[in-house]
Amino acid sequence: MITQEDYLQTLKEKAESAADKPAALGPDVDLSQFYLCSPQERIENPEEISPQLREVALYAGVDLNNDKTPGVYLQVDRSAVYQKMQEAFKGKMEIMSVSEALKKYPELWQYWWQLVPVDTDKYTAFAELCPAEGYFIRVFANQKIEFPLQTCLLLSEDSGIQNVHNLIILEEGAEANLITGCASAREDQAGVHIGVSEIYLADRARMNFTMIHNWGERFHVRPRTVVKMGANSFFNNTYVLLKPLLSLQTFPKAILEGAGANATFRSIILANEDSYIDVGSSLVLRGAGSRGDSISRVCASDRAQVFARGKLVSYHDQAQAHLECKGILFSREASIVSVPELEVYGAPQSRLSHEAAVGPIEQEAINYLRSRGLKKDEALSLITRGFLNVDLPGIPPALKKYIDQIIQVTSKDLM
Amino acid sequence: MNNFMVVGVMLCLDKLKVAVEDKVILKEINLTIAEGEIHVLLGPNGAGKTTLLMAIMGMPGVQVIGGGIYFQGRDITGLELEERAQLGIGMAFQKMPQIPGVTLRTLGELIIEKHGQDGSLAETAERINCTYLLDRNIGFGFSGGEAKRAELFQLLLQQPLFSMVDEPESGVDLDNIALVGSVLNDLFERKQVKSKKRAGLIITHTGHILDYLNADMGHVLMGGKIVCRGNPRDLLSDIQRSGYEHCLRCES
Ligand SMILES: Nc1ncnc2c1ncn2[C@@H]1O[C@H](COP(=O)(O)OP(=O)(O)OP(=O)(O)O)[C@@H](O)[C@H]1O
Ligand SMILES: [Mg+2]
């Protein structure tokens, strides 16, 4: 048997060996050009958060003033600045910084770097070698937390590096909705965000996870997410990126181990200016009757380059999944590359499919709306909003409204 | 004197010549519609009826290559599509385009916002039997009749001074033709004797809509020209009896 000490030692060694390993995809980032931020003080009252940061959080979908939120976690730079759980939810769930959680529950090391290999690339290695918090969420068996939990990761220092390692555990039959907003304090800011997320959904657990990113124009962002799913569990992830940045590369994966597991990934990408964006999702179908969807909606304007990936891998005859990528190019200097991969291993009855379409906004639709009195830019913005605003079944209305608002505000700038 | 400047004229087409993709479709159209009047446009398939409506609406791609369009005495030939809509010209299309993620409700709300009508969305939808269609995306899964009603729903919200309706009865069942007819009466304020101002131009093949709506004048469009005018019912019964060839003779 491996002891915790051995395990942690091995992690360190593996991380060190991968410290210079470039990622398989996306441009390489020289991490030495960025700084470790100085620690921030813990606060007890959300009123102490500056109005500016609060607005930044709100635009990333996290309303720090909302007292209905069952639990909230706010990280600024490398520090867990504020965390709060409503009294009524004690015994139902927990939300806290991951360093506290690992101290409080030493056995959590059995979940640590179990889904995302620590030596995946230099970014995961960095997260291990220079740990800098992250959040821990656990929902206890059969507890259903309806109103969305909120976590917010902000980077305030210019040229700072923020690497978080998050751990989410939903026990059997637990249900939760989570909104995560990640943002930089200023639009013209430089920085790096590395986000490792390991998500464990036990049998019958259900999770809606909406992540909104609003980074500065000179940001590199490298999320590393893996979800492990038990029997009849449900995972619905929506990733929303609407602001320009230097580069984003992410390829989250759901491993559908249990029978009847069901996962959906959606990427809603409004790529503008010089953004280099490599997004997608992958589903590994191992359970009988497991199924899923990998969906992306991409609008690329200015000089943005977008790679939209999707990978479906089936190991089970009764597995079924669909890949869908739709893109609109707004500019002659922009590009969209759709990369679908379907892989079936020894499961001739599995059904995997993909559908990809890149094309312009139909002139006919613009004219139709103009004939109702909408101006050309209003028509374009409405069509864009509609195009990006994929149907979000199973998502609570409060959450859907957040995203709609943000898309509405931001797509105005696109014209 | 040019009649397009006369007070009380809603729409006037003066020697209008129209091309689509450099192909001349309409040759020399003269047409005057007074305030409060409803005219119908007849003509065989491919005659250019829809093209004429598109030209009046100002749809890009339909080029006016001669003559002019006057709305309430104002030359609108060079105006953009949305400017015409804002002046009070509206159109129910023959077919609805697909707009993913934009529901009939969303569009309806925007139309109310744009045209400042006080009519409620829900009431209007109920009136034209569209309530169950409100949360559908524009153009997705609408049957022929449903699309027609959804088009009229938008016109009702828009309340244009001058409405053009492309084949209101095609694909609509008998019950719904009665509904469409009564809604068009509302739209043209036919029941309100006092403010008889709104006007319209309706394309019809069958004339069924005339059972529900009194039209003042009919025009037969053939080969890019208006070849015959008169009482719409008389025109229709002539066409039913002797076909469109008859109208050609009548031109001379
Ligand atoms: N984009 C286009 N390119 C070329 N020709 C066109 C185009 N659009 C319309 N036409 C032609 O213009 C003519 C008139 O078409 P239009 O749709 O106005 O006819 P219509 O009278 O409305 O016919 P219908 O009764 O079948 O609806 C037709 O010959 C048609 O083929
Ligand atoms: Mg037609």
Side-chain angles (χ1 to χ4, degrees):
Chain A
M1 232 196 72
I2 346 163
T3 65
Q4 180 183 352
E5 222 159 80
D6 292 344
Y7 181 64
L8 296 181
Q9 184 55 36
T10 326
L11 283 179
K12 192 141 267 134
E13 284 163 15
K14 280 190 177 171
E16 273 160 4
S17 74
D20 296 315
K21 182 180 168 186
L25 301 167
D28 192 43
V29 181
D30 181 0
L31 295 175
S32 68
Q33 299 297 305
F34 298 88
Y35 309 96
L36 296 179
C37 306
S38 33
Q40 303 261 348
E41 301 238 334
R42 180 69 73 103
I43 56 171
E44 292 308 320
N45 189 337
E47 299 298 313
E48 294 168 52
I49 302 164
S50 77
Q52 186 231 356
L53 275 193
R54 216 181 297 210
E55 192 182 300
V56 166
L58 189 61
Y59 276 93
V62 174
D63 183 356
L64 294 166
N65 292 339
N66 193 333
D67 47 16
K68 273 205 253 167
T69 305
V72 60
Y73 171 88
L74 169 67
Q75 175 163 344
V76 178
D77 302 335
R78 304 167 60 77
S79 318
V81 160
Y82 175 69
Q83 62 191 43
K84 185 173 184 205
M85 198 179 75
Q86 302 274 349
E87 280 298 322
F89 293 91
K90 290 231 164 90
K92 297 183 174 178
M93 55 158 277
E94 321 175 78
I95 183 166
M96 66 184 83
S97 77
V98 81
S99 65
E100 279 166 88
L102 289 167
K103 225 175 274 158
K104 194 167 173 191
Y105 307 110
E107 68 277 13
L108 285 178
W109 70 269
Q110 296 172 64
Y111 294 91
W112 200 242
W113 292 117
Q114 291 288 328
L115 298 181
V116 178
V118 67
D119 55 358
T120 303
D121 51 38
K122 63 202 263 186
Y123 311 106
T124 55
F126 188 87
E128 170 60 19
L129 296 171
C130 299
E133 283 299 359
Y135 56 84
F136 169 70
I137 292 174
R138 173 153 55 188
V139 182
F140 296 117
N142 299 315
Q143 298 296 337
K144 299 179 186 0
I145 316 291
E146 206 168 311
F147 206 85
L149 306 172
Q150 305 197 331
T151 58
C152 187
L153 307 167
L154 302 180
L155 191 45
S156 72
E157 277 189 37
D158 196 33
S159 297
I161 185 162
Q162 178 181 60
N163 52 292
V164 297
H165 189 154
N166 310 312
L167 187 57
I168 299 173
I169 299 171
L170 264 59
E171 297 183 353
E172 269 187 37
E175 295 187 19
N177 301 296
L178 171 64
I179 302 179
T180 292
C182 301
S184 55
R186 289 183 317 279
E187 284 189 357
D188 59 355
Q189 203 172 319
V192 176
H193 172 84
I194 298 169
V196 177
S197 299
E198 298 184 279
I199 303 175
Y200 294 85
L201 304 182
D203 294 353
R204 292 178 294 106
R206 296 176 70 85
M207 180 172 199
N208 287 305
F209 184 6
T210 301
M211 190 189 275
I212 296 155
H213 276 187
N214 281 337
W215 296 110
E217 287 158 9
R218 293 182 293 132
F219 251 76
H220 297 283
V221 179
R222 296 293 182 274
R224 298 289 180 259
T225 303
V226 177
V227 191
K228 188 175 165 193
M229 301 176 66
N232 296 312
S233 62
F234 171 89
F235 182 67
N236 181 14
N237 178 241
T238 303
Y239 176 79
V240 183
L241 178 78
L242 308 168
K243 291 277 176 80
L245 41 59
L246 275 184
S247 79
L248 160 74
Q249 187 272 314
T250 183
F251 204 179
K253 175 160 82 177
I255 306 165
L256 293 84
E257 286 284 351
N262 184 332
T264 300
F265 283 102
R266 290 160 216 272
S267 311
I268 296 174
I269 308 288
L270 199 67
N272 37 33
E273 297 181 18
D274 294 287
S275 303
Y276 182 107
I277 292 170
D278 190 323
V279 291
S281 55
S282 114
L283 300 170
V284 181
L285 305 139
R286 293 185 179 277
S290 58
R291 57 182 54 212
D293 291 278
S294 160
I295 298 168
S296 48
R297 291 283 182 280
V298 177
C299 287
S301 67
D302 304 325
R303 295 154 306 278
Q305 281 173 270
V306 183
F307 292 84
R309 295 175 198 279
K311 184 170 174 175
L312 308 177
V313 186
S314 174
Y315 292 95
H316 202 289
D317 263 345
Q318 269 90 51
Q320 198 170 321
H322 184 65
L323 191 68
E324 186 184 289
C325 168
K326 294 204 170 139
I328 300 178
L329 216 54
F330 280 89
S331 136
R332 292 200 176 276
E333 291 155 289
S335 65
I336 296 176
V337 178
S338 158
V339 189
E341 292 172 83
L342 308 185
E343 301 176 7
V344 182
Y345 298 103
Q349 297 299 315
S350 31
R351 288 170 202 273
L352 304 182
S353 54
H354 86 80
E355 184 188 348
V358 178
I361 287 186
E362 296 298 335
Q363 207 58 45
E364 198 192 352
I366 299 174
N367 294 342
Y368 183 79
L369 296 174
R370 289 174 68 201
S371 80
R372 303 285 183 233
L374 274 73
K375 295 196 187 78
K376 209 181 283 182
D377 62 341
E378 292 171 331
L380 271 169
S381 144
L382 179 64
I383 295 170
T384 309
R385 200 145 37 95
F387 169 81
L388 290 174
N389 188 7
V390 279
D391 229 11
L392 302 174
I395 282 241
L399 216 152
K400 193 167 153 34
K401 226 161 94 190
Y402 267 134
I403 301 172
D404 273 355
Q405 275 169 5
I406 292 162
I407 290 179
Q408 191 165 359
V409 170
T410 322
S411 69
K412 283 204 176 107
D413 301 337
L414 188 72
M415 304 311 146
Chain B
M1 192 184 79
N2 278 334
N3 57 3
F4 50 82
M5 299 303 277
V6 171
V7 181
V9 169
M10 182 66 80
L11 182 90
C12 186
L13 307 179
D14 179 44
K15 298 192 189 108
L16 188 70
K17 202 170 171 190
V18 170
V20 176
E21 290 181 1
D22 296 324
K23 183 177 146 203
V24 178
I25 309 283
L26 302 171
K27 282 166 195 155
E28 196 168 288
I29 307 287
N30 291 307
L31 181 71
T32 302
I33 300 177
E35 284 177 356
E37 282 184 354
I38 298 176
H39 290 211
V40 297
L41 195 56
L42 307 165
N45 292 136
K49 304 181 295 297
T50 298
T51 307
L52 181 60
L53 263 50
M54 299 276 204
I56 297 169
M57 191 71 240
M59 300 301 278
V62 179
Q63 314 136 244
V64 172
I65 51 171
I69 306 171
Y70 299 82
F71 181 68
Q72 295 192 307
R74 174 176 174 186
D75 184 352
I76 60 162
T77 320
L79 288 195
E80 295 283 341
L81 181 52
E82 58 269 39
E83 293 173 313
R84 299 186 200 199
Q86 277 147 16
L87 285 180
I89 301 179
M91 173 160 177
F93 289 87
Q94 201 169 4
K95 79 180 216 275
M96 207 180 201
Q98 293 193 325
I99 313 182
V102 178
T103 61
L104 187 58
R105 183 191 303 280
T106 305
L107 183 50
E109 283 163 357
L110 278 169
I111 291 173
I112 291 178
E113 202 182 299
K114 282 280 156 195
H115 298 276
Q117 299 301 331
D118 44 25
S120 107
L121 185 108
E123 263 170 50
T124 310
E126 200 56 36
R127 171 84 182 87
I128 181 114
N129 188 17
C130 272
T131 307
Y132 72 104
L133 299 170
L134 284 176
D135 292 312
R136 262 189 220 172
N137 288 341
I138 300 288
F140 287 88
F142 283 76
S143 76
E146 288 170 344
K148 283 271 131 80
R149 296 207 307 276
E151 285 293 310
L152 287 180
F153 165 69
Q154 295 178 56
L155 272 193
L156 280 178
L157 294 177
Q158 202 176 336
Q159 293 279 305
L161 288 169
F162 180 68
S163 299
M164 298 180 284
V165 186
D166 200 341
E167 297 188 26
E169 71 272 79
S170 77
V172 178
D173 66 42
L174 287 174
D175 286 350
N176 275 301
I177 289 189
L179 174 64
V180 165
S182 114
V183 163
L184 286 176
N185 273 309
D186 283 3
L187 191 63
F188 296 117
E189 297 170 327
R190 279 284 150 141
K191 302 262 158 68
Q192 290 144 275
V193 192
K194 256 170 61 189
S195 61
K196 261 188 134 194
K197 205 171 167 189
R198 296 220 170 109
L201 181 58
I202 300 173
I203 298 178
T204 178
H205 281 291
T206 61
H208 286 153
I209 199 68
L210 297 177
D211 295 342
Y212 304 93
L213 183 73
N214 279 318
D216 302 283
M217 182 67 144
H219 309 266
V220 179
L221 189 66
M222 275 184 81
K225 284 183 181 167
I226 289 179
V227 294
C228 194
R229 298 176 204 261
N231 176 299
R233 284 176 188 280
D234 295 346
L235 285 177
L236 266 165
S237 58
D238 284 354
I239 293 163
Q240 266 154 18
R241 206 169 341 101
S242 350
Y244 279 110
E245 286 311 305
H246 170 81
C247 300
L248 272 183
R249 278 198 305 275
C250 138
E251 185 186 18
S252 45

